Amino acid sequence: MKLKINKTTDNILMLYIMNISQIVLPLVVLPYLARVLSIASYGVVSYVKSIMVYSMLVIQFGFLLSGTKEVVEVRNSKEKLGKVVGKITQAKLILSIPAFLILVILIFLIKILRQNPLFTVLMFIPSFLDIFIFEYLFRGLEKMNIVTIRYLISKSFSVICTFIFIKGDNQLLLIPIFDILGSFIAVLWGYQEFKKLNIKIIWDKLINVTEALKESSLYFFSDISSTAFNALNTVCIGIFLSAKEVAFWGLILQFILAVDGLYRPLKDGVYPEMIKKRDLRLLVKVTAIFLPVVLIGCSITFFGSYWILYIVGGEKYTAASYLVKASVPLLFLLFLNSLSSWPLLGAIGKVREVTFSIVIGSIVQVIGLLILIITNHMSLFLVMVLRTISELCMLIIRLIYFNKFKNLY
């Protein structure tokens, strides 16, 4: 038990370093971009990044979770690991084709993308390069240090370049270019670490690639459904509200994602160990340790909303401080849902149940958005309330499933 906790602690620590970096590095750049770019240009950046979430999800197709699970199961056989990497890489290459074609269609259909086609296409390239990073492999082998160091090096490069070269709207295209160069660094670094493992990629038959896609589809639908909570909101806001409101929402969404990123290492660090041991005590211990911290953080967010926006975006964004206060219940629910998903239910094989909870939450979100649009009541505050209601529905469903299947622990 002690060895298991120590190993899990190491994994969580490395993932926390990476996820804190994923939060800190954008938050270092965010105040700078919010000041050197106009509100309209910052709105373009936020909007296109939201669209890229969908492209990335299509290409990943849930393999970060299903691939991690498969790697854990065959980790003692280099030949089997080579087959896993081969078929997942083939699957992702196939998926990149429809992902790009859908993006091209969206460029023609959505005005903000149609006005910035080159910027949009360039932003797609890092999603494509993610195919060759093999993060699921290193996570499954519990080599979180490789994932973390690679991320730090590649993203630090793009951050430094941003501060040096981006001075205004005229340098907007440099943002995706720096992301592309950072992704190339990540690919090269990952390839060197991959060679050290002495694993040879074994290309598989198309029928086996198709089977891998089928097996990962549940994870994909889980991931794609969850984007209705964030990316879809931004897409609708961009269509029905002003560019200024897109910028406000984009800034606050980055804050929400940053907080959610703090929860992610708990899920990602515990999940592989829960698959192997199904030890509910480990999950209870992690929850007990971090719950007071989350409650303190929520209180600070509510009472310090004005200053959070002032520090992150400057005076011109503080008018949206009411939205930060409205997001506090959502921030708390995100913590509970991060542990009630794959660590709690997915680890005992209840993938369909996790996916079902997310799909129901997504349906609630989509129906709510349609009601707001039809009744002409679309506003940032009501979208935030709707987002919170959807998260609560998802948590309730998961707790019902846990009560039903708790005997499996």
Side-chain angles (χ1 to χ4, degrees):
M1 178 68 178
K2 184 177 180 180
L3 179 62
K4 176 184 68 175
I5 292 178
N6 289 340
K7 182 66 174 178
T8 303
T9 301
D10 290 341
N11 293 333
I12 292 177
L13 177 62
M14 294 308 298
L15 282 168
Y16 248 113
I17 293 173
M18 185 180 76
N19 279 269
I20 289 174
S21 301
Q22 288 176 329
I23 296 167
V24 171
L25 293 179
L27 287 182
V28 168
V29 175
L30 189 59
Y32 179 74
L33 289 179
R35 286 167 172 80
V36 300
L37 297 178
S38 65
I39 291 181
S41 291
Y42 185 78
V44 170
V45 174
S46 299
Y47 194 79
V48 174
K49 284 189 174 182
S50 295
I51 296 295
M52 290 308 114
V53 170
Y54 285 99
S55 296
M56 177 67 82
L57 286 172
V58 171
I59 293 174
Q60 287 188 344
F61 207 75
F63 283 116
L64 187 58
L65 286 169
S66 66
T68 298
K69 182 175 183 295
E70 194 166 356
V71 167
V72 170
E73 293 170 349
V74 302
R75 60 183 300 161
N76 295 322
S77 172
K78 293 186 181 298
E79 181 180 354
K80 290 181 180 179
L81 286 173
K83 289 182 178 179
V84 170
V85 174
K87 69 180 179 183
I88 291 179
T89 302
Q90 288 171 272
K92 288 186 173 185
L93 286 170
I94 294 171
L95 290 166
S96 66
I97 298 173
F100 182 72
L101 292 177
I102 292 171
L103 179 63
V104 172
I105 294 173
L106 291 176
I107 290 174
F108 283 101
L109 293 178
I110 301 176
K111 182 180 179 180
I112 195 171
L113 301 183
R114 191 165 60 248
Q115 293 173 337
N116 300 274
L118 181 57
F119 181 85
T120 305
V121 171
L122 289 175
M123 288 290 284
F124 175 81
I125 296 177
S127 298
F128 176 78
L129 292 176
D130 183 78
I131 295 173
F132 309 102
I133 290 179
F134 310 139
E135 184 170 338
Y136 58 89
L137 173 68
F138 299 118
R139 285 177 182 264
L141 295 176
E142 297 182 275
K143 295 182 179 294
M144 307 304 184
N145 59 313
I146 295 176
V147 176
T148 302
I149 294 173
R150 180 187 62 203
Y151 177 84
L152 285 173
I153 293 175
S154 61
K155 292 303 179 183
S156 296
F157 169 82
S158 62
V159 168
I160 292 170
C161 289
T162 297
F163 279 109
I164 294 175
F165 295 105
I166 297 178
K167 304 300 179 182
D169 290 357
N170 292 334
Q171 289 84 39
L172 193 65
L173 287 177
L174 291 179
I175 295 175
I177 289 174
F178 294 149
D179 285 343
I180 291 169
L181 294 175
S183 294
F184 270 117
I185 293 173
V187 170
L188 293 175
W189 183 277
Y191 177 71
Q192 292 300 318
E193 295 296 334
F194 180 78
K195 286 177 63 178
K196 293 178 183 178
L197 296 174
N198 294 318
I199 299 173
K200 293 183 179 180
I201 297 178
I202 301 174
W203 304 115
D204 216 332
K205 297 178 181 179
L206 183 59
I207 188 173
N208 293 331
V209 175
T210 304
E211 185 63 27
L213 287 168
K214 181 180 177 181
E215 291 175 359
S216 192
S217 61
L218 282 174
Y219 296 93
F220 166 71
F221 286 119
S222 172
D223 288 341
I224 201 71
S225 297
S226 64
T227 61
F229 302 135
N230 295 315
L232 182 59
N233 290 335
T234 305
V235 171
C236 291
I237 288 169
I239 294 173
F240 295 100
L241 299 180
S242 67
K244 181 179 180 180
E245 288 171 303
V246 172
F248 282 172
W249 180 264
L251 190 70
I252 293 171
L253 179 59
Q254 286 300 312
F255 172 74
I256 294 172
L257 293 176
V259 175
D260 193 31
L262 288 173
Y263 303 152
R264 197 174 302 124
L266 300 178
K267 177 182 69 176
D268 293 343
V270 173
Y271 179 57
E273 203 64 48
M274 292 294 290
I275 293 174
K276 290 187 291 184
K277 301 296 183 180
R278 295 190 177 186
D279 190 348
L280 191 58
R281 290 174 299 173
L282 179 62
L283 197 58
V284 171
K285 182 177 181 180
V286 170
T287 304
I289 291 172
F290 286 95
L291 184 58
V293 179
V294 171
L295 292 174
I296 293 172
C298 288
S299 300
I300 293 173
T301 299
F302 184 85
F303 292 106
S305 58
Y306 176 91
W307 292 107
I308 290 172
L309 286 181
Y310 184 84
I311 293 170
V312 174
E315 179 69 30
K316 58 187 175 183
Y317 287 96
T318 55
S321 60
Y322 73 97
L323 275 179
V324 177
K325 290 182 178 180
S327 72
V328 169
L330 173 61
L331 298 178
F332 181 71
L333 290 172
L334 285 171
F335 168 72
L336 298 179
N337 271 328
S338 68
L339 294 178
S340 67
S341 58
W342 303 113
L344 183 65
L345 294 176
I348 56 174
K350 301 305 173 183
V351 177
R352 292 181 182 274
E353 285 75 6
V354 174
T355 302
F356 177 76
S357 69
I358 297 175
V359 169
I360 294 299
S362 300
I363 291 173
V364 171
Q365 183 77 18
V366 171
I367 292 175
L369 286 172
L370 288 174
I371 292 173
L372 292 179
I373 293 168
I374 294 171
T375 60
N376 198 28
H377 282 84
M378 175 71 73
S379 70
L380 297 183
F381 177 77
L382 289 179
V383 172
M384 185 66 73
V385 172
L386 178 61
R387 174 69 181 86
T388 304
I389 293 172
S390 301
E391 196 75 21
L392 179 60
C393 290
M394 189 165 58
L395 177 63
I396 292 173
I397 291 172
R398 289 175 180 177
L399 292 178
I400 291 173
Y401 277 129
F402 168 69
N403 185 63
K404 180 179 180 180
F405 297 113
K406 61 185 178 182
N407 61 304
L408 297 178
Y409 282 100

